[in-house]
Amino acid sequence: MRIAPEMITIDCADPQALAAWWAEALRVEDTQDYDGFVVLAATPLVLGFQRVPEPKPGKNRMHIDFSSPDRPADVERLAKLGATVLGEQSMQGMTWTVLKDPEGNEFCLADAGGH
């Protein structure tokens, strides 16, 4: 039997607000709230948001990489929604932008087909 990924869960202070932000960022409408644990079905990726009492301690040890056919336009759109742009990186034909969501969780947005 093989282990298969099912969901990525993000610890946060306000699961409903952060899930709503990600739903708008990813243009997804399918969210479900299970008494404070919010699930966002962003096919093929499922994101979970759970409340934790402590603040984020520092840089994420793991993050999610997304891609876009128009990365610059989507970076601008995400920034207008409240993301923080941390910088742009490139290597061997790949370009991506590092961002933070409103609670400080890092993620990357790459040019589609760049991996």
Side-chain angles (χ1 to χ4, degrees), residues 23-115:
E24 189 169 355
L26 299 175
R27 297 180 172 146
V28 173
E29 295 180 16
D30 186 8
T31 61
Q32 297 177 23
D33 191 331
Y34 298 96
D35 194 27
F37 183 85
V38 183
V39 175
L40 174 65
T43 305
L45 180 66
V46 177
L47 296 175
F49 300 88
Q50 69 181 0
R51 183 179 321 277
V52 295
E54 67 277 353
K56 184 175 163 294
K59 185 180 181 320
N60 291 12
R61 298 288 296 198
M62 182 171 69
H63 65 269
I64 305 170
D65 290 337
F66 296 95
S67 65
S68 167
D70 189 353
R71 182 183 49 82
D74 277 324
V75 167
E76 183 178 331
R77 182 179 66 80
L78 292 167
K80 286 180 182 175
L81 290 176
T84 302
V85 177
L86 299 178
E88 187 174 290
Q89 304 289 324
S90 292
M91 68 177 212
Q92 299 176 350
M94 296 186 327
T95 302
W96 66 95
T97 304
V98 181
L99 303 105
K100 283 186 182 181
D101 72 15
E103 286 209 18
N105 300 296
E106 295 92 358
F107 64 99
C108 293
L109 183 62
D111 291 320
H115 291 186

